[in-house]
Structure formats: structure tokens, C-alpha cells
Amino acid sequence: MLHDERTTTTIDRDTFTITFRRTLGAPRELVFEAWTSAEHVVHWWDPSGVRLAECAIDLRLGGRFRFANAGHAHSPPFEGEYTKIDAPSELQFLAMGAAGTVRLEVAGTGTSMTVTIRCANAEHLAKFVELGVADGTARTLENLAAHLAR
Amino acid sequence: MNDAHLDRAFAALADPTRRAILARLALGEATVSELAAPFGLAQPTISKHLIVLEEAGLIRQRRDAQRRPRELVVGGPLEEVDRWLAPFREQWERRLDGLDAYLRTLAPAPSPPPKKRKKPTPPTP
């Protein structure tokens, strides 16, 4: 298979930032389009894999977006505004008290994607976590120690 | 969940020296002088960091009159912070997995462009 399975997640408690890195098989232009056009976003945004009930995108600087699933009550819609649009390499947005950055680099026939979510502070992070989340598995203290030691 | 508690833990974790101290203590208890040496810091400086970590409930002093070693508090706010980040992280990981899967349905088999071949194919025996 051509797809590279390398995926990493880094948590930096210093800056309340979580960084996800992935290598995707699709070309960069398509990945950028998948992030910025409603017809694509409806298919993949919801973590449970369900198609979004509502997806509105106004792709311009300061333009707003709103992604909502059918079960609103449990997970409020994800909404915010675009703060940087540099197709096809970078997208930045502000949403739910956090700043998101999507960076795309060409990697062979595919794309290397880095998604960074930076929360303004611990309180915002707490709120962000509350949104649409079931209970997660706690990582062990050993994992955490290894992480802190990095 | 106690937010003030978590805020203190986050504040304590926001310093690289304190994170390094925690990483050291995760390997086992240590005294102030044992902690001071590898960091090249004076004992009073280390002590200040230890106070912040203690007040955040991340570490504690073991009752051992002579050495007074510090140890990690197991199941303390450190685990709470992590437990609290885990769902957020998992949600985004699932979302990005979804993107990956979706993109594959669009472009199932990207074949390398045949024209721009840089390396000549080695002759087959």
C-alpha cells in the first residue's frame, strides 16, 4: 500500500497545544479542498463517522463556518471563523476558544499534514474537552512520564 | 472535577524545569540535592520549584526525617490532567482518521506519474 501509516500526536502542556501529524495518500490540493469545501467536510468531520446535518462554509478571511451533527444536544456545533487561507498549503481558524492551524506539504504523491490546536488557556481547554466527548481512556502515568521526559 | 485544582496543576506544568523534575521523579523518589545536581541549579532554586509542585498536589514529601525525599503523587492531578486531555485528543484523532478514510474513497490508488521518472529502472535479469 502506498499510504504511509505514520501518525503522531504531541501534547505540549506549556502552550496548551496538541499537534497531530499524518501522511495522507491524497494530493495536497485535494486535502485542502477536503478541509474547505462543505461537500467534502460533511463526509468526514464528525468523529463518529456520521454525515453532518449542517455544514456551512464562507471561505474568506473572517468568513464563518458552522459544522453540526444531528445529535446537537450532546455535541454543540463546531463553529468559528477563518483567520488565514493560503491554498493549498495553510488554513487557520478560530473556533470554540481555540486556534487551529492546518499545514499541508507535498510528500511524494501524497501530503504531509500537520494539525495544531492551541487553546487560549486551561479553562478554554476544559470547555473544548467538554464538547461532544464521550469518556476517553486514561493513559497511564508511565506514558505521561515518558511524554514529559521528551 | 475541581477546576482550581486543575489550573494549579497546569500552571505548575508550564515550566520546563518543573516538568523535568517530574520526569525525574517518575523514575523514583529523590532528595533536593539529588534533584539539584543534574539540573545544575542551586538547592534553594530547586526548593522553590518543589514548593510549586507540592502546592499543586503533583508531588509530596515522604516522611523520612533525614533525607526528606520527594515523590510523585500517583493518581493526583497529573493523571487528572491527562485523563482530561485524552478524550479531546481521541476526538481529533478519530476525525483525522475519518478524513484519511474519506480521501481514500476519492483517490483510491494514486499511481506515480509515468513521465517524470528520475531513476532509470534497473534492467530485469
Side-chain angles (χ1 to χ4, degrees):
Chain A
M1 207 183 250
L2 283 168
H3 174 73
D4 187 339
E5 295 293 341
R6 259 182 315 144
T7 72
T8 63
T9 303
T10 322
I11 298 173
D12 183 353
R13 290 174 177 76
D14 217 350
T15 53
F16 307 113
T17 300
I18 305 190
T19 304
F20 305 89
R21 285 198 184 79
R22 286 177 185 237
T23 307
L24 303 164
R28 179 163 76 157
E29 285 72 17
L30 182 58
V31 178
F32 189 84
E33 212 181 293
W35 274 93
T36 53
S37 93
E39 59 196 86
H40 287 300
V41 174
V42 287
H43 292 287
W44 66 268
W45 186 264
D46 194 84
S48 61
V50 178
R51 201 187 150 104
L52 290 179
E54 189 194 334
C55 181
I57 289 179
D58 179 11
L59 190 65
R60 56 192 165 124
L61 205 61
R64 298 194 61 80
F65 58 85
R66 179 182 161 91
F67 308 151
N69 60 24
H72 255 227
H74 300 292
S75 56
F78 189 91
E79 50 187 331
E81 67 176 73
Y82 294 108
T83 52
K84 184 174 180 183
I85 301 160
D86 185 7
S89 57
E90 192 173 336
L91 181 71
Q92 289 187 16
F93 55 85
L94 281 176
M96 331 297 282
T101 301
V102 180
R103 280 199 190 86
L104 305 173
E105 280 166 42
V106 173
T109 55
T111 306
S112 161
M113 174 174 77
T114 306
V115 178
T116 304
I117 309 294
R118 183 168 47 81
C119 298
N121 58 36
E123 205 178 307
H124 281 163
L125 186 55
K127 252 180 219 140
F128 214 57
V129 171
E130 279 165 22
L131 299 170
V133 203
D135 26 314
T137 323
R139 283 160 68 226
T140 62
L141 190 61
E142 286 76 31
N143 283 347
L144 179 60
H147 194 88
L148 290 166
R150 246 174 244 166
Chain B
M1 196 174 289
N2 184 342
D3 278 353
H5 201 210
L6 275 172
D7 278 349
R8 265 207 304 281
F10 268 115
L13 288 166
D15 180 273
T17 305
R18 289 199 286 272
R19 289 202 301 275
I21 291 172
L22 287 174
R24 164 63 188 85
L25 291 177
L27 303 173
E29 60 172 46
T31 62
V32 177
S33 57
E34 282 166 349
L35 288 169
F39 293 110
L41 292 172
Q43 289 197 11
T45 311
I46 286 288
S47 292
K48 270 182 207 160
H49 285 306
L50 293 178
I51 288 167
V52 176
L53 290 169
E54 261 169 37
E55 283 176 352
L58 294 164
I59 66 167
R60 68 177 155 226
Q61 222 177 99
R62 214 159 56 72
R63 301 225 176 278
D64 178 336
Q66 283 303 313
R67 298 173 57 239
R68 290 188 298 161
R70 265 46 169 216
E71 63 182 7
L72 270 192
V73 175
V74 176
L78 206 53
E79 277 192 346
E80 213 170 297
V81 166
D82 213 51
R83 209 167 16 241
W84 191 60
L85 280 168
F88 170 84
R89 168 195 171 141
E90 281 165 19
Q91 187 190 28
W92 272 93
E93 285 182 337
R94 275 204 304 275
R95 173 171 292 149
L96 299 179
D97 283 345
L99 171 61
D100 192 8
Y102 172 65
L103 287 169
R104 286 188 209 206
T105 66
L106 299 180
S111 49
K115 280 180 187 174
K116 277 189 183 174
R117 187 172 284 162
K118 279 178 187 167
K119 267 189 214 165
T121 324
T124 39

